[in-house]
Amino acid sequence: MYDRAAKGERAVLVQTVRAGDSDAAARLDEFAELAASAGASAVARVFARVDTPNARFLLGTGKVEELRELKLANDADLILVNDTLTPVQERNLEKFCECRVVGRTGLILDIFALRARSHEGKLQVELAQLKHMATRVVRGWSGLDSQRGGSIGLRGPGETKLELDRRYLRGRIQQLQERLDKVALQREQTRRSRQRNAIPTVSLVGYTNAGKSTLFNRLSGADVYAADQLFATLDPTLRRIDGLPSGPFVLADTVGFIRDLPHDLVAAFQSTLAETRDADLLLHVVDAGDPERDQRMADVDAVLAEIGAAELPQVLVFNKIDTLDDAAPRRDDVEGGRQPRVWISAAQGLGLDLLREAIVEQLGRDRVRTMLHLAPEQGRLRARLYEAGVVQRETPADDGGWALALDAPRTRLQALFGLGDGDGGFLRGALAGVAASHGAE
C-alpha cells in the first residue's frame, strides 16, 4: 500500500457525464468553485463518459489510465471526482493513481469543516464526516493487521487495528448524536418560546452564494460574514427585526443549499434546518444574474421538500440585479399575491423597501386570530396547542374549561388537523368558519 500524501492542493477535476446530461460543463464549473473553496488548485480538468458505472473504478479503465497520466504530467497530488464514489471505487482509484481521491460528498464535508465556527456547527460537521468515514476505514497506512494480546490473560487473536478504529468511530458517532440531541432540545425550547409570544420566524433560504448573508445584514443591521464564495456562511444566525407594521419577527440566516446535497449533511443539520422547516415565511433568495437560476431554484425546492418545508409560503427574492443590464427594483405578484417576486440588490441596498412590504403582507396573510373555547375534558388538546406555540393568552371559562386566544399562521394550525383522539377533527371544525387576518391588527 502507498502512503497517502499529507498535502493535497494540486487537483485534477473529474466530471462524469451520463446519457442525456446537457449541463456537464456548468456542473464542472461549480465543482471547480467547490474545489477552490476547499483550498485546492485545479491543474487539469477531464470529462468522463459513464453510461454503465464500472464497479471497480466508476470510470472506464481507459479513462483511469488517462487520469493517472494527467496526474503525473501535472504533478497533482489529489483527484476530485464530481460524483458519488463507493468505498471500493475510491480505494481502487487511490491505489491505481497513487494519490488521494475524494468524491463530491467528501469535498463538501471538507468545506463545511473549514466554515464551521459555532460549537453546534462543529459537532454537526464532525458527525457527518464520521458517518462518511465509517464506510471508508481501509488500509491507508501500514500496520493495520497488528494484533493485540500476548500478555497473560490477554492472549489470543485479539482485535485488529481496523476493528478498533471502527469501534471508536461507532462510539464517537453515538457521543456526537447525544450532544446534538441536547442542542436540538435547547433550540426547540427557544423556538416554542418565540411561538408562544406570537413572534413569527422568517427564514432565508437559497442556493449557496446567492447573497443570503448580505441580505441578512441589510435587513437586520448585523455584521454576519459574507463573501463571494460557496458556503461562506455555515452556522445559523438569528436576529429580531422591529419597526414593521406587522410587528416584530425573527430573521434566520442558514446554510446555503446546493444540488446533490449529501444526505449525511441533511441528517446531521436537522436541528439547524428546523429553523427553516418551522418558519412562518421563507425568503427564497436567487442570484438574478445566474444563467442556471431556474435549475438552482429547482434544487432548493428539492431540499425544502426533503426537510418538510415545501408547503411554506415564500417570497422569491431575485438578488444581484446590479449584475444585470438596465435592471431596476420592482415587485411582481403571482398567484393572487401569494408568492410575490421582488427584484433587489442587497449589496447596493436597492429594492429593500419593496421587500419589507412583501414580508409585512405575507406575515399578515392567512394568519388566524380567534378565540377557541375548550371544555374541561379537552386538556390534552390544550397542551398540544401550547406545544405548537399557537396560544397567545388564556382565560378560565365558567364551565371549568378554557378560553384560548389563538394567533398563528393557518398553515401551523392546519398541521394539527391530523391529530388523533378526535382532537384534530374538533379543531378543524372549530376553525372552519374563521376568516384569516390580512395585515396587522
Side-chain angles (χ1 to χ4, degrees):
M1 274 295 170
Y2 70 95
D3 290 328
R4 288 176 174 171
K7 54 183 180 176
E9 284 132 7
R10 294 178 58 83
V12 175
L13 307 187
V14 182
Q15 174 62 55
T16 57
V17 182
R18 289 175 170 79
D21 282 353
S22 59
D23 60 346
R27 294 172 75 93
L28 182 55
D29 287 341
E30 179 186 81
F31 193 59
E33 289 186 55
L34 284 172
S37 296
S41 174
V43 295
R45 299 185 180 192
V46 60
F47 290 92
R49 186 66 180 258
V50 182
D51 291 326
T52 303
N54 185 310
R56 185 182 176 194
F57 293 118
L58 177 66
L59 315 176
T61 53
K63 184 61 68 173
V64 175
E65 290 275 6
E66 177 187 343
L67 193 57
R68 182 167 65 175
E69 292 174 5
L70 268 176
K71 174 253 179 183
L72 293 173
N74 291 278
D75 191 27
D77 45 48
L78 176 66
I79 294 175
L80 300 175
V81 182
N82 193 16
D83 209 321
T84 301
L85 293 171
T86 67
V88 171
Q89 290 166 346
E90 186 176 296
R91 184 164 65 249
N92 289 337
L93 281 171
E94 288 186 343
K95 181 179 180 181
F96 189 85
C97 296
E98 297 185 332
C99 71
R100 188 85 171 91
V101 176
V102 178
R104 179 181 178 85
T105 298
L107 179 60
I108 293 177
L109 286 171
D110 187 75
I111 297 171
F112 271 48
L114 288 173
R115 300 286 187 264
R117 293 293 180 269
S118 71
H119 175 66
E120 179 187 8
K122 291 177 181 178
L123 290 178
Q124 290 169 327
V125 171
E126 185 181 355
L127 176 62
Q129 286 181 316
L130 291 181
K131 285 184 176 180
H132 181 69
M133 189 188 304
T135 59
R136 287 165 165 76
V137 180
V138 295
R139 289 171 176 256
W141 55 89
S142 61
L144 284 180
D145 54 351
S146 60
Q147 303 288 325
R148 293 188 66 187
S151 301
I152 295 176
L154 295 176
R155 292 192 177 102
E159 293 179 296
T160 65
K161 178 68 164 58
L162 188 62
E163 289 168 343
L164 289 173
D165 288 342
R166 286 173 174 163
R167 174 182 289 187
Y168 168 78
L169 287 177
R170 287 194 298 268
R172 181 61 177 164
I173 287 173
Q174 182 179 355
Q175 185 183 54
L176 289 172
Q177 191 62 64
E178 290 173 353
R179 290 185 182 180
L180 282 172
D181 287 344
K182 292 180 180 178
V183 174
L185 180 60
Q186 294 170 351
R187 279 191 173 275
E188 182 64 23
Q189 291 171 342
T190 302
R191 192 157 38 244
R192 288 180 183 175
S193 176
R194 293 200 307 265
Q195 292 172 345
R196 283 195 298 270
N197 293 325
I199 300 178
T201 298
V202 177
S203 182
L204 289 163
V205 299
Y207 210 79
T208 182
N209 206 27
K212 296 183 302 302
S213 295
T214 302
L215 179 57
F216 180 86
N217 289 338
R218 283 286 186 178
L219 292 176
S220 67
D223 189 23
V224 171
Y225 176 72
D228 185 18
Q229 58 184 201
L230 301 185
F231 299 119
T233 301
L234 176 59
D235 297 313
T237 307
L238 289 83
R239 292 290 187 275
R240 175 175 169 136
I241 309 296
D242 293 294
L244 296 183
S246 58
F249 67 88
V250 173
L251 184 65
D253 183 23
T254 58
V255 62
F257 298 154
I258 196 170
R259 76 175 84 192
D260 303 325
L261 191 66
H263 290 286
D264 283 345
L265 274 179
V266 175
F269 279 74
Q270 281 301 321
S271 63
T272 299
L273 295 175
E275 295 292 349
T276 296
R277 185 183 63 243
D278 297 336
D280 300 293
L281 176 66
L282 302 180
L283 301 185
H284 183 166
V285 184
V286 182
D287 183 349
D290 189 343
E292 300 287 325
R293 76 183 187 197
D294 290 340
Q295 180 60 48
R296 302 281 190 263
M297 293 166 64
D299 292 332
V300 171
D301 288 336
V303 178
L304 291 175
E306 186 173 354
I307 66 175
E311 302 302 321
L312 294 177
Q314 289 188 19
V315 174
L316 286 174
V317 184
F318 289 92
N319 189 27
K320 303 186 181 181
I321 61 172
D322 51 294
T323 63
L324 303 176
D325 294 333
D326 301 323
R330 73 177 192 270
R331 173 177 168 178
D332 304 325
D333 286 328
V334 297
E335 299 182 12
R338 288 183 174 272
Q339 192 181 64
R341 301 184 174 194
V342 186
W343 299 73
I344 71 164
S345 170
Q348 297 188 2
L350 303 176
L352 297 183
D353 288 341
L354 295 174
L355 178 57
R356 292 187 183 97
E357 291 175 4
I359 293 173
V360 169
E361 290 183 14
Q362 294 303 307
L363 288 179
R365 180 182 294 276
D366 289 341
R367 192 169 186 90
V368 174
R369 295 182 174 93
T370 188
M371 297 297 298
L372 178 68
H373 178 266
L374 296 183
E377 61 271 16
Q378 291 181 295
R380 180 179 54 248
L381 177 56
R382 172 177 171 269
R384 287 169 167 171
L385 291 171
Y386 270 102
E387 184 178 4
V390 300
V391 180
Q392 187 176 36
R393 65 181 182 275
E394 170 191 310
T395 55
D398 294 338
D399 63 355
W402 307 273
L404 304 180
L406 305 185
D407 183 356
R410 182 175 288 276
T411 53
R412 193 184 301 168
L413 289 166
Q414 287 174 336
L416 302 174
F417 289 173
L419 292 174
D421 306 321
D423 286 346
F426 170 82
L427 191 60
R428 187 187 307 109
L431 300 178
V434 177
S437 302
H438 294 272
E441 293 185 346

